[in-house]
Amino acid sequence: MIRVGVIGYGYWGPNIVRNLHGLDATRVEMVCDLSPKALSRVRKTYPSIATCTDPAEILNSPSIDAVAVITPVWTHYELAKRALENGKHVFVEKPFTSNAQQAEELIEIAARKKLTIMVDHTFLFTGAVKKIIELTESGALGDLYYYDSLRVNLGLFQHDVSVIWDLAPHDLAIMDHVIKREPEAVVATGERHLNGVEDVAFLTVYYPGNVIAHVNVNWLSPVKVRMTMIGGQKKMLVWNDLVADEKIRVYDKGVQITSGEGIRDLLVNYRTGDMWAPQVPQLEALHVELGYFAECIQNGKAPINDGFAGLRIVRMLEAADASIQKRGELVRL
């Protein structure tokens, strides 16, 4: 049994506690939050779980094996570092840290102490993304051409991070596992309207082999949209995360160009075939992810969403910030 302490019981913390509480391999020993109202909710829902307002009670407790850090990003480094230094495995809400240097230090400490770091890239454990990875790895789409995502809604506004750091990590983590290539450069543009941080932004990521990815994130959209298109040489895929059925549709559509002697001899052939919707397992991604976290600790294996994965995302976020400061200048990675 892995004994877990959870720091943070705000927006996402209750979901973490509920899923950890429901796993056979884990037991939530203590929940920490600065809000008395939040802790009152914990005690009402889970009378057996201890509560506290000082993170040190969890970080220093010999009866806790792992710590879930579900707090604002600017607190991640210090809390995760203290947990690792005290010999505890760490589960950290995305994004991993505020900068790459912090991420590198946490990775080094975990490696030295043989501890597990997992970054909460929840979408990797959805049935839809698992199916997308299966399709791309099997070669069903052919060579990848592009990844294009629209992730917008009205709110939830954050005060400590921009919309890029809040929403883009979802797509950047998915891209990291679907495209499977080291990104070469980032171009980003964005603007601030309400609370001093970018609330609308556009990111373009360049990969080797002419693969391009584009992500549009926005807190000021009148509608909520979660849609991704992935284009390949053989087939194209559309993922609409907000529909109940047929979340993924695969289109047998494409373009073939046959060249003659000159530019005017180019022949464009359009291929239009069937559309099919593969079955997507209906799973609670966070439950699967936290079960995987326990499994990695028990078996001593590195998670797919480990500290290195978190570091790769943070580097892209930093590059996006640098590009925005220069009004869309290309920033090489």
CSV table of all heavy atoms in Angstrom, one decimal, residues 128-178:
chain,number,residue,atom,x,y,z
A,128,ALA,N,-9.3,8.4,-26.0
A,128,ALA,CA,-9.1,9.0,-27.4
A,128,ALA,C,-7.6,9.1,-27.7
A,128,ALA,O,-7.2,8.8,-28.8
A,128,ALA,CB,-9.7,10.4,-27.4
A,129,VAL,N,-6.8,9.6,-26.8
A,129,VAL,CA,-5.4,9.8,-27.1
A,129,VAL,C,-4.7,8.5,-27.2
A,129,VAL,O,-3.8,8.3,-28.0
A,129,VAL,CB,-4.7,10.7,-26.0
A,129,VAL,CG1,-3.2,10.8,-26.2
A,129,VAL,CG2,-5.3,12.2,-26.1
A,130,LYS,N,-5.0,7.5,-26.4
A,130,LYS,CA,-4.5,6.2,-26.5
A,130,LYS,C,-4.7,5.6,-27.9
A,130,LYS,O,-3.9,5.0,-28.5
A,130,LYS,CB,-5.0,5.2,-25.4
A,130,LYS,CG,-4.4,5.5,-24.0
A,130,LYS,CD,-5.1,4.5,-23.1
A,130,LYS,CE,-4.5,4.6,-21.7
A,130,LYS,NZ,-3.1,4.0,-21.6
A,131,LYS,N,-5.9,5.9,-28.4
A,131,LYS,CA,-6.3,5.4,-29.8
A,131,LYS,C,-5.5,6.2,-30.8
A,131,LYS,O,-5.0,5.6,-31.8
A,131,LYS,CB,-7.8,5.5,-30.0
A,131,LYS,CG,-8.3,5.1,-31.4
A,131,LYS,CD,-7.9,3.7,-31.7
A,131,LYS,CE,-8.7,2.7,-30.8
A,131,LYS,NZ,-8.6,1.3,-31.2
A,132,ILE,N,-5.3,7.5,-30.6
A,132,ILE,CA,-4.6,8.3,-31.6
A,132,ILE,C,-3.1,7.8,-31.6
A,132,ILE,O,-2.5,7.6,-32.7
A,132,ILE,CB,-4.6,9.8,-31.2
A,132,ILE,CG1,-6.0,10.3,-31.5
A,132,ILE,CG2,-3.6,10.6,-32.0
A,132,ILE,CD1,-6.2,11.7,-30.9
A,133,ILE,N,-2.5,7.5,-30.5
A,133,ILE,CA,-1.1,7.0,-30.5
A,133,ILE,C,-1.1,5.7,-31.1
A,133,ILE,O,-0.1,5.4,-31.9
A,133,ILE,CB,-0.6,7.0,-29.0
A,133,ILE,CG1,-0.5,8.4,-28.4
A,133,ILE,CG2,0.7,6.3,-28.9
A,133,ILE,CD1,-0.2,8.5,-27.0
A,134,GLU,N,-2.1,4.8,-30.9
A,134,GLU,CA,-2.1,3.5,-31.5
A,134,GLU,C,-2.1,3.7,-33.1
A,134,GLU,O,-1.4,2.9,-33.8
A,134,GLU,CB,-3.3,2.7,-31.0
A,134,GLU,CG,-3.5,1.4,-31.7
A,134,GLU,CD,-4.8,0.8,-31.3
A,134,GLU,OE1,-5.2,0.9,-30.1
A,134,GLU,OE2,-5.5,0.2,-32.1
A,135,LEU,N,-3.0,4.6,-33.6
A,135,LEU,CA,-3.1,4.8,-35.0
A,135,LEU,C,-1.8,5.3,-35.6
A,135,LEU,O,-1.4,4.9,-36.7
A,135,LEU,CB,-4.3,5.7,-35.3
A,135,LEU,CG,-5.7,5.1,-35.0
A,135,LEU,CD1,-6.7,6.2,-35.1
A,135,LEU,CD2,-6.0,4.0,-36.0
A,136,THR,N,-1.2,6.3,-35.0
A,136,THR,CA,0.0,6.9,-35.5
A,136,THR,C,1.2,5.9,-35.5
A,136,THR,O,2.0,5.8,-36.4
A,136,THR,CB,0.4,8.2,-34.8
A,136,THR,OG1,0.5,7.9,-33.4
A,136,THR,CG2,-0.6,9.2,-35.1
A,137,GLU,N,1.3,5.1,-34.4
A,137,GLU,CA,2.4,4.2,-34.2
A,137,GLU,C,2.3,3.0,-35.2
A,137,GLU,O,3.3,2.5,-35.7
A,137,GLU,CB,2.5,3.7,-32.8
A,137,GLU,CG,3.0,4.7,-31.8
A,137,GLU,CD,3.2,4.1,-30.4
A,137,GLU,OE1,2.7,3.1,-30.1
A,137,GLU,OE2,3.9,4.8,-29.6
A,138,SER,N,1.0,2.7,-35.5
A,138,SER,CA,0.8,1.5,-36.5
A,138,SER,C,1.0,1.9,-37.9
A,138,SER,O,1.1,1.1,-38.8
A,138,SER,CB,-0.6,1.0,-36.3
A,138,SER,OG,-1.6,1.9,-36.8
A,139,GLY,N,1.2,3.2,-38.2
A,139,GLY,CA,1.4,3.7,-39.5
A,139,GLY,C,0.1,3.9,-40.3
A,139,GLY,O,0.1,4.1,-41.5
A,140,ALA,N,-1.1,3.9,-39.6
A,140,ALA,CA,-2.4,4.0,-40.3
A,140,ALA,C,-2.5,5.3,-41.0
A,140,ALA,O,-3.2,5.4,-42.0
A,140,ALA,CB,-3.5,3.7,-39.3
A,141,LEU,N,-1.9,6.4,-40.4
A,141,LEU,CA,-2.1,7.7,-41.0
A,141,LEU,C,-1.0,8.0,-42.0
A,141,LEU,O,-1.0,8.9,-42.8
A,141,LEU,CB,-2.1,8.8,-39.9
A,141,LEU,CG,-3.1,8.7,-38.8
A,141,LEU,CD1,-3.0,9.9,-38.0
A,141,LEU,CD2,-4.5,8.5,-39.4
A,142,GLY,N,0.1,7.1,-42.0
A,142,GLY,CA,1.2,7.4,-42.9
A,142,GLY,C,2.1,8.4,-42.2
A,142,GLY,O,2.0,8.7,-41.0
A,143,ASP,N,3.1,8.9,-43.0
A,143,ASP,CA,4.0,10.0,-42.5
A,143,ASP,C,3.1,11.2,-42.0
A,143,ASP,O,2.3,11.7,-42.8
A,143,ASP,CB,5.0,10.4,-43.5
A,143,ASP,CG,5.9,9.3,-43.9
A,143,ASP,OD1,6.1,8.4,-43.0
A,143,ASP,OD2,6.5,9.3,-45.0
A,144,LEU,N,3.4,11.7,-40.9
A,144,LEU,CA,2.6,12.8,-40.4
A,144,LEU,C,3.0,14.1,-41.1
A,144,LEU,O,4.2,14.4,-41.4
A,144,LEU,CB,2.8,13.0,-38.8
A,144,LEU,CG,2.3,11.9,-37.9
A,144,LEU,CD1,2.5,12.3,-36.5
A,144,LEU,CD2,0.8,11.6,-38.2
A,145,TYR,N,2.0,14.9,-41.3
A,145,TYR,CA,2.2,16.3,-41.9
A,145,TYR,C,2.0,17.4,-40.9
A,145,TYR,O,2.8,18.3,-40.8
A,145,TYR,CB,1.2,16.5,-43.1
A,145,TYR,CG,1.4,15.7,-44.3
A,145,TYR,CD1,0.4,15.5,-45.3
A,145,TYR,CD2,2.7,15.1,-44.6
A,145,TYR,CE1,0.6,14.7,-46.4
A,145,TYR,CE2,2.9,14.4,-45.7
A,145,TYR,CZ,1.9,14.2,-46.6
A,145,TYR,OH,2.1,13.5,-47.8
A,146,TYR,N,0.9,17.3,-40.1
A,146,TYR,CA,0.6,18.4,-39.2
A,146,TYR,C,-0.3,17.9,-38.1
A,146,TYR,O,-0.9,16.9,-38.1
A,146,TYR,CB,-0.2,19.5,-40.0
A,146,TYR,CG,-1.6,19.1,-40.5
A,146,TYR,CD1,-2.7,19.2,-39.6
A,146,TYR,CD2,-1.7,18.7,-41.8
A,146,TYR,CE1,-3.9,18.8,-40.1
A,146,TYR,CE2,-3.0,18.4,-42.2
A,146,TYR,CZ,-4.1,18.4,-41.4
A,146,TYR,OH,-5.3,18.1,-41.8
A,147,TYR,N,-0.3,18.8,-37.0
A,147,TYR,CA,-1.1,18.6,-35.8
A,147,TYR,C,-1.7,20.0,-35.6
A,147,TYR,O,-1.0,21.0,-35.4
A,147,TYR,CB,-0.3,18.2,-34.6
A,147,TYR,CG,-1.0,18.1,-33.3
A,147,TYR,CD1,-1.3,16.8,-32.8
A,147,TYR,CD2,-1.4,19.2,-32.5
A,147,TYR,CE1,-1.9,16.7,-31.5
A,147,TYR,CE2,-2.0,19.0,-31.3
A,147,TYR,CZ,-2.3,17.8,-30.8
A,147,TYR,OH,-3.0,17.6,-29.6
A,148,ASP,N,-3.0,20.1,-35.6
A,148,ASP,CA,-3.7,21.4,-35.5
A,148,ASP,C,-4.8,21.3,-34.4
A,148,ASP,O,-5.7,20.6,-34.5
A,148,ASP,CB,-4.3,21.8,-36.8
A,148,ASP,CG,-4.8,23.2,-36.9
A,148,ASP,OD1,-4.5,24.0,-35.9
A,148,ASP,OD2,-5.5,23.6,-37.9
A,149,SER,N,-4.6,22.1,-33.4
A,149,SER,CA,-5.5,22.0,-32.2
A,149,SER,C,-6.2,23.4,-31.9
A,149,SER,O,-5.5,24.4,-31.9
A,149,SER,CB,-4.8,21.5,-31.0
A,149,SER,OG,-5.6,21.5,-29.8
A,150,LEU,N,-7.5,23.3,-31.5
A,150,LEU,CA,-8.2,24.5,-31.0
A,150,LEU,C,-8.7,24.1,-29.6
A,150,LEU,O,-9.5,23.2,-29.5
A,150,LEU,CB,-9.4,24.8,-32.0
A,150,LEU,CG,-10.3,26.0,-31.7
A,150,LEU,CD1,-9.5,27.2,-31.7
A,150,LEU,CD2,-11.5,26.0,-32.7
A,151,ARG,N,-8.2,24.8,-28.7
A,151,ARG,CA,-8.6,24.6,-27.2
A,151,ARG,C,-9.0,25.9,-26.6
A,151,ARG,O,-8.1,26.6,-26.1
A,151,ARG,CB,-7.4,23.9,-26.5
A,151,ARG,CG,-7.7,23.4,-25.1
A,151,ARG,CD,-6.5,22.7,-24.6
A,151,ARG,NE,-6.1,21.5,-25.3
A,151,ARG,CZ,-6.7,20.3,-25.1
A,151,ARG,NH1,-7.6,20.1,-24.1
A,151,ARG,NH2,-6.3,19.2,-25.8
A,152,VAL,N,-10.3,26.2,-26.7
A,152,VAL,CA,-10.7,27.5,-26.2
A,152,VAL,C,-12.0,27.4,-25.4
A,152,VAL,O,-12.8,26.4,-25.5
A,152,VAL,CB,-11.0,28.4,-27.5
A,152,VAL,CG1,-9.8,28.5,-28.4
A,152,VAL,CG2,-12.2,27.9,-28.3
A,153,ASN,N,-12.2,28.4,-24.6
A,153,ASN,CA,-13.5,28.5,-23.8
A,153,ASN,C,-13.5,29.8,-23.1
A,153,ASN,O,-12.5,30.6,-23.1
A,153,ASN,CB,-13.6,27.3,-22.8
A,153,ASN,CG,-12.5,27.3,-21.7
A,153,ASN,OD1,-11.4,26.8,-22.0
A,153,ASN,ND2,-12.8,27.9,-20.6
A,154,LEU,N,-14.6,30.2,-22.5
A,154,LEU,CA,-14.7,31.4,-21.7
A,154,LEU,C,-14.3,31.1,-20.3
A,154,LEU,O,-15.0,30.5,-19.5
A,154,LEU,CB,-16.1,32.0,-21.8
A,154,LEU,CG,-16.3,33.4,-21.2
A,154,LEU,CD1,-15.5,34.4,-22.0
A,154,LEU,CD2,-17.8,33.8,-21.2
A,155,GLY,N,-13.1,31.6,-19.8
A,155,GLY,CA,-12.5,31.2,-18.5
A,155,GLY,C,-11.9,29.9,-18.6
A,155,GLY,O,-11.7,29.4,-19.7
A,156,LEU,N,-11.4,29.3,-17.6
A,156,LEU,CA,-11.2,29.8,-16.2
A,156,LEU,C,-9.9,30.7,-16.2
A,156,LEU,O,-8.9,30.2,-16.4
A,156,LEU,CB,-11.1,28.7,-15.2
A,156,LEU,CG,-12.3,27.7,-15.1
A,156,LEU,CD1,-11.9,26.4,-14.5
A,156,LEU,CD2,-13.4,28.4,-14.3
A,157,PHE,N,-10.1,31.9,-15.8
A,157,PHE,CA,-8.9,32.8,-15.8
A,157,PHE,C,-8.0,32.5,-14.6
A,157,PHE,O,-8.4,32.2,-13.5
A,157,PHE,CB,-9.4,34.3,-15.7
A,157,PHE,CG,-10.0,34.8,-16.9
A,157,PHE,CD1,-11.4,34.7,-17.1
A,157,PHE,CD2,-9.2,35.3,-18.0
A,157,PHE,CE1,-12.0,35.1,-18.3
A,157,PHE,CE2,-9.8,35.8,-19.1
A,157,PHE,CZ,-11.2,35.7,-19.3
A,158,GLN,N,-6.7,32.4,-14.9
A,158,GLN,CA,-5.7,32.2,-13.9
A,158,GLN,C,-4.9,33.5,-13.7
A,158,GLN,O,-4.8,34.4,-14.6
A,158,GLN,CB,-4.7,31.2,-14.4
A,158,GLN,CG,-5.3,29.9,-14.8
A,158,GLN,CD,-6.0,29.1,-13.7
A,158,GLN,OE1,-5.5,29.1,-12.6
A,158,GLN,NE2,-7.1,28.5,-14.0
A,159,HIS,N,-4.4,33.7,-12.5
A,159,HIS,CA,-3.7,35.0,-12.2
A,159,HIS,C,-2.2,34.8,-12.1
A,159,HIS,O,-1.5,35.8,-12.2
A,159,HIS,CB,-4.2,35.5,-10.8
A,159,HIS,CG,-5.7,35.8,-10.8
A,159,HIS,ND1,-6.2,36.9,-11.5
A,159,HIS,CD2,-6.8,35.2,-10.3
A,159,HIS,CE1,-7.5,37.0,-11.3
A,159,HIS,NE2,-7.9,35.9,-10.6
A,160,ASP,N,-1.8,33.5,-12.0
A,160,ASP,CA,-0.3,33.3,-11.9
A,160,ASP,C,0.3,32.8,-13.2
A,160,ASP,O,1.6,32.9,-13.3
A,160,ASP,CB,0.0,32.3,-10.7
A,160,ASP,CG,-0.7,31.0,-11.0
A,160,ASP,OD1,-1.8,31.0,-11.5
A,160,ASP,OD2,-0.1,29.9,-10.6
A,161,VAL,N,-0.5,32.3,-14.1
A,161,VAL,CA,0.1,31.9,-15.4
A,161,VAL,C,-0.8,32.3,-16.5
A,161,VAL,O,-2.0,32.6,-16.3
A,161,VAL,CB,0.2,30.3,-15.4
A,161,VAL,CG1,1.2,29.8,-14.4
A,161,VAL,CG2,-1.1,29.7,-15.2
A,162,SER,N,-0.2,32.4,-17.7
A,162,SER,CA,-1.0,32.8,-18.9
A,162,SER,C,-1.8,31.6,-19.4
A,162,SER,O,-1.6,30.5,-19.0
A,162,SER,CB,0.0,33.3,-20.0
A,162,SER,OG,0.8,32.1,-20.5
A,163,VAL,N,-2.6,31.9,-20.5
A,163,VAL,CA,-3.4,30.8,-21.1
A,163,VAL,C,-2.5,29.8,-21.7
A,163,VAL,O,-2.8,28.6,-21.8
A,163,VAL,CB,-4.4,31.4,-22.1
A,163,VAL,CG1,-3.6,32.0,-23.3
A,163,VAL,CG2,-5.4,30.4,-22.6
A,164,ILE,N,-1.3,30.2,-22.1
A,164,ILE,CA,-0.3,29.2,-22.7
A,164,ILE,C,0.1,28.2,-21.7
A,164,ILE,O,0.0,27.0,-21.9
A,164,ILE,CB,0.9,30.0,-23.3
A,164,ILE,CG1,0.5,30.8,-24.5
A,164,ILE,CG2,2.0,29.0,-23.7
A,164,ILE,CD1,1.7,31.7,-25.0
A,165,TRP,N,0.5,28.7,-20.5
A,165,TRP,CA,0.9,27.8,-19.4
A,165,TRP,C,-0.2,27.0,-18.9
A,165,TRP,O,0.0,25.9,-18.3
A,165,TRP,CB,1.7,28.5,-18.4
A,165,TRP,CG,3.0,28.9,-18.8
A,165,TRP,CD1,3.4,29.9,-19.6
A,165,TRP,CD2,4.3,28.4,-18.3
A,165,TRP,NE1,4.7,30.0,-19.8
A,165,TRP,CE2,5.3,29.1,-19.0
A,165,TRP,CE3,4.6,27.3,-17.5
A,165,TRP,CZ2,6.7,28.8,-18.8
A,165,TRP,CZ3,6.0,27.0,-17.3
A,165,TRP,CH2,7.0,27.7,-17.9
A,166,ASP,N,-1.4,27.5,-19.0
A,166,ASP,CA,-2.6,26.8,-18.4
A,166,ASP,C,-3.1,25.7,-19.4
A,166,ASP,O,-3.3,24.6,-19.0
A,166,ASP,CB,-3.7,27.8,-18.2
A,166,ASP,CG,-5.0,27.2,-17.6
A,166,ASP,OD1,-4.8,26.3,-16.7
A,166,ASP,OD2,-6.1,27.6,-18.0
A,167,LEU,N,-3.4,26.1,-20.7
A,167,LEU,CA,-4.0,25.1,-21.6
A,167,LEU,C,-3.1,24.4,-22.6
A,167,LEU,O,-3.3,23.3,-22.9
A,167,LEU,CB,-5.1,25.9,-22.4
A,167,LEU,CG,-6.3,26.5,-21.6
A,167,LEU,CD1,-7.3,27.1,-22.6
A,167,LEU,CD2,-7.0,25.4,-20.8
A,168,ALA,N,-2.0,25.1,-23.0
A,168,ALA,CA,-1.2,24.5,-24.0
A,168,ALA,C,-0.5,23.2,-23.6
A,168,ALA,O,-0.2,22.4,-24.4
A,168,ALA,CB,-0.2,25.5,-24.6
A,169,PRO,N,-0.1,23.1,-22.3
A,169,PRO,CA,0.6,21.8,-21.9
A,169,PRO,C,-0.2,20.6,-22.3
A,169,PRO,O,0.4,19.5,-22.5
A,169,PRO,CB,0.7,21.9,-20.4
A,169,PRO,CG,0.8,23.4,-20.1
A,169,PRO,CD,-0.1,24.0,-21.1
A,170,HIS,N,-1.5,20.6,-22.3
A,170,HIS,CA,-2.3,19.4,-22.8
A,170,HIS,C,-1.9,19.0,-24.2
A,170,HIS,O,-1.5,17.8,-24.4
A,170,HIS,CB,-3.8,19.7,-22.7
A,170,HIS,CG,-4.3,20.1,-21.4
A,170,HIS,ND1,-4.2,19.2,-20.3
A,170,HIS,CD2,-5.1,21.1,-21.0
A,170,HIS,CE1,-4.8,19.7,-19.3
A,170,HIS,NE2,-5.3,20.9,-19.6
A,171,ASP,N,-1.9,20.0,-25.1
A,171,ASP,CA,-1.5,19.6,-26.5
A,171,ASP,C,-0.1,19.3,-26.6
A,171,ASP,O,0.3,18.4,-27.4
A,171,ASP,CB,-2.0,20.7,-27.4
A,171,ASP,CG,-3.5,20.7,-27.6
A,171,ASP,OD1,-4.0,19.8,-28.2
A,171,ASP,OD2,-4.1,21.7,-27.2
A,172,LEU,N,0.8,20.1,-26.0
A,172,LEU,CA,2.2,19.9,-26.1
A,172,LEU,C,2.6,18.5,-25.6
A,172,LEU,O,3.5,17.8,-26.2
A,172,LEU,CB,3.0,20.9,-25.3
A,172,LEU,CG,2.8,22.4,-25.8
A,172,LEU,CD1,3.6,23.4,-24.9
A,172,LEU,CD2,3.2,22.5,-27.2
A,173,ALA,N,2.0,18.0,-24.5
A,173,ALA,CA,2.2,16.6,-24.0
A,173,ALA,C,1.7,15.6,-25.0
A,173,ALA,O,2.4,14.6,-25.3
A,173,ALA,CB,1.5,16.4,-22.7
A,174,ILE,N,0.6,15.8,-25.6
A,174,ILE,CA,0.1,14.9,-26.7
A,174,ILE,C,1.0,14.9,-27.9
A,174,ILE,O,1.3,13.8,-28.4
A,174,ILE,CB,-1.4,15.3,-27.1
A,174,ILE,CG1,-2.3,15.1,-25.9
A,174,ILE,CG2,-1.8,14.4,-28.2
A,174,ILE,CD1,-3.7,15.8,-26.1
A,175,MET,N,1.4,16.1,-28.3
A,175,MET,CA,2.3,16.2,-29.5
A,175,MET,C,3.6,15.4,-29.2
A,175,MET,O,4.2,14.8,-30.1
A,175,MET,CB,2.6,17.6,-29.8
A,175,MET,CG,1.4,18.4,-30.4
A,175,MET,SD,1.4,20.2,-30.1
A,175,MET,CE,3.1,20.6,-30.6
A,176,ASP,N,4.1,15.5,-27.9
A,176,ASP,CA,5.3,14.9,-27.6
A,176,ASP,C,5.3,13.4,-27.8
A,176,ASP,O,6.3,12.8,-28.1
A,176,ASP,CB,5.6,15.2,-26.1
A,176,ASP,CG,7.0,14.8,-25.6
A,176,ASP,OD1,8.0,15.1,-26.3
A,176,ASP,OD2,7.1,14.1,-24.6
A,177,HIS,N,4.1,12.8,-27.6
A,177,HIS,CA,4.0,11.4,-27.7
A,177,HIS,C,3.5,10.9,-29.1
A,177,HIS,O,3.7,9.8,-29.5
A,177,HIS,CB,3.0,10.8,-26.6
A,177,HIS,CG,3.7,10.8,-25.2
A,177,HIS,ND1,4.4,9.8,-24.7
A,177,HIS,CD2,3.7,11.8,-24.3
A,177,HIS,CE1,4.8,10.1,-23.5
A,177,HIS,NE2,4.4,11.3,-23.2
A,178,VAL,N,2.8,11.8,-29.8
A,178,VAL,CA,2.3,11.4,-31.1
A,178,VAL,C,3.3,11.6,-32.2
A,178,VAL,O,3.5,10.8,-33.0
A,178,VAL,CB,1.0,12.2,-31.4
A,178,VAL,CG1,0.6,12.0,-32.9
A,178,VAL,CG2,-0.2,11.8,-30.5
